[in-house]
Amino acid sequence: MTRLAADLARLAGQDALREGAEYLHDSTEMQGLAGQAEAVVAPPDVAALQAVVAWCYERGIAMVPRGGGTGFAGGAVPQGGVVVSLERLDRVRGLDPEAWRVHVEAGVTTGRLHRLARESGLYFPPDPGASEQSQIGGNLACNAGGPHSFKYGVTRDWVTGVEAVIGGGELVRFGGATRKDVAAYDLRSVLCGSEGTLGFITAAWLKLIPMPESQIPLVAGYPSTAAGVAALRRVYGFGLRASVLEYLDAGAVAASAAAFPGGLPEGTRFLVISEADGDPAGAHTLAAGLTEALEEGALRVDTVDTPAGRRDLWRWRDGVSFAVRSVRGGKMSEDVAVPFDRLEAALEVCEEAGRQVDLPTCSWGHAGDGNLHATFLIDAADKNQVARAARGAELIFAGVLELGGTVTGEHGLGLVKRHQLARQLGPEEMRLMLAVKAAFDPRNLFNPGKKVVVGSS
Ligand SMILES: Cc1cc2nc3c(=O)[nH]c(=O)nc-3n(C[C@H](O)[C@H](O)[C@H](O)COP(=O)(O)OP(=O)(O)OC[C@H]3O[C@@H](n4cnc5c(N)ncnc54)[C@H](O)[C@@H]3O)c2cc1C
């Protein structure tokens, strides 16, 4: 055992030490990204985490907070230092169904929270796709979204309070169970989306809502992108409050169609998935409105009217990313976002980037939020293809910024996109971002080199 590991064991317990390659990568492993660390520790509780943080901070040792390791930006991939896994902070501190709220520790998985809420007739809408592995702390740290964000917003919109351990090991708390609170600067929101660069999120107070009685998905196949995008526009134009508005382009359809439950219409080159929810009568009225909006130009519009059908559909949707990856054994995805009315232009930016670097592309994502998973299909072992995909990504970033968009709509900057922030922000905005980082983490020891690159401006 190294000296460092022995010290961490003394602070957090012998059984807190972890080993294994799984702590050295996240979902960017698909791009061949893995890191290295001096040690991995999983403190059993907040007090032990505080002791580890205080000890490391004093000695200038970098720390990488780790949730479920499902991130798509390399945020949890260590570049040295100590990986601190939140997996054992998994207590539900309080569930109060009558007040529609829950107080959970960071290591509770997203899927467990969904089930916990459902058992009380309640609903926690943020639903990033790897919910059985991702943790609430990771969801807050990435401000994760998901298909239902179109109607319900992203993780931050459900957080009324955050508890965190910051430099020096101090425990701080912003907000709590109170639903409205404007007393202070909104540091609770600053921690949401901070990607482990400002401290360790240890717990959150979350809002819940009554579970919608009915959830009716609709699936519409189109022969072209233009027909599909026109249908998406009509959903907005008709003022329909769908809970979901997703799309898959021709390449994503081709990669995943074989597993689509029940099969897709022949000739589908653009797919729209929507969902109506609410009380049974309201959901049915909304589903009828959505059908009307989606059917012009469609090959077919299907309504999924059984719980088993809905479960199969969403399970298939969660697998789209893996189906796309399997086409050539690897992929490089960017989760850019644009204003909704620029979606078609953004699709064209992605296709043009593919042509420029001579790689096949496809995209899918949260159409209603203008959020594209723009993807280059590559053989991840081929360095030349990886380099071309990286060049293509630069073209996509430039294109979406011109459209008034962002380089990341939900996965964050992490390690892989850390240099893109200065491109999106002006020098004054960058200065303020770095000042926030310095205020929380003056020694740059929380996930250094991720999100904001200290010393870069
Ligand atoms: C198949 C698949 C589908 C996905 N679909 C979506 C989607 O629809 N929408 C979406 O937004 N994302 C999606 N993701 C990405 C990912 O699941 C989310 O970003 C998720 O929130 C990451 O949570 P995690 O616990 O796995 O975090 P990790 O990957 O462990 O970490 C992510 C970042 O958060 C930091 N972090 C983790 N826990 C803490 C903590 N307690 N305190 C401080 N910092 C912390 C890490 O340092 C890192 O920077 C998907 C991923 C996969 C693999």
Side-chain angles (χ1 to χ4, degrees), residues 26-27 30 64-72 74-76 86 106 127-130 133-147 194-197 199-202 317-318 321-322 366 373 410-411 414 447 450:
D26 64 3
S27 291
M30 297 180 197
V64 181
R66 182 180 180 85
T70 68
F72 268 137
L86 281 297
D127 55 348
Q133 291 84 45
S134 70
Q135 299 175 0
I136 291 303
N139 293 168
L140 262 74
C142 295
N143 194 19
S194 59
E195 299 183 53
T197 61
F200 286 82
I201 294 166
T202 49
R317 171 62 185 82
D318 286 345
S321 171
F322 299 102
H366 315 304
H373 299 316
E410 56 178 20
H411 295 159
N447 223 355
K450 313 282 176 60

Side-chain angles (χ1 to χ4, degrees), residues 14 24 27 45 49 59 83 94-95 133 166 205 233 277 293 319 326 398 428 441 451-452:
Q14 194 68 38
L24 303 180
S27 291
D45 52 32
L49 173 67
R59 283 157 188 78
V83 172
L95 170 65
Q133 291 84 45
I166 56 165
W205 288 259
R233 286 226 171 90
D277 71 359
S326 67
E428 269 311 289
D441 180 17
K451 196 170 179 88
V452 289

Side-chain angles (χ1 to χ4, degrees), residues 153-188:
V154 293
T155 301
R156 179 190 286 135
D157 300 316
W158 296 87
V159 179
T160 60
V162 181
E163 179 191 276
V165 173
I166 56 165
E170 295 92 355
L171 191 67
V172 294
R173 172 179 156 169
F174 302 111
T178 307
R179 289 171 73 97
K180 289 174 91 176
D181 177 3
V182 294
Y185 293 125
D186 190 1
L187 298 187
R188 171 191 51 153

Side-chain angles (χ1 to χ4, degrees), residues 33 72-75 77-79 195 197 334 394 397 407-408 411-425 430 433-434 444 447-454 456-457:
L33 198 69
F72 268 137
V77 178
Q79 309 291 293
E195 299 183 53
T197 61
E334 302 304 338
E394 295 289 328
F397 296 144
V407 295
T408 172
H411 295 159
L413 296 168
L415 182 65
V416 294
K417 275 192 278 197
R418 62 197 157 144
H419 295 298
Q420 301 299 336
L421 188 60
R423 185 171 186 172
Q424 184 168 321
L425 302 184
M430 261 324 275
M433 292 296 156
L434 290 165
N444 189 24
N447 223 355
K450 313 282 176 60
K451 196 170 179 88
V452 289
V453 185
V454 173
S456 64
S457 69

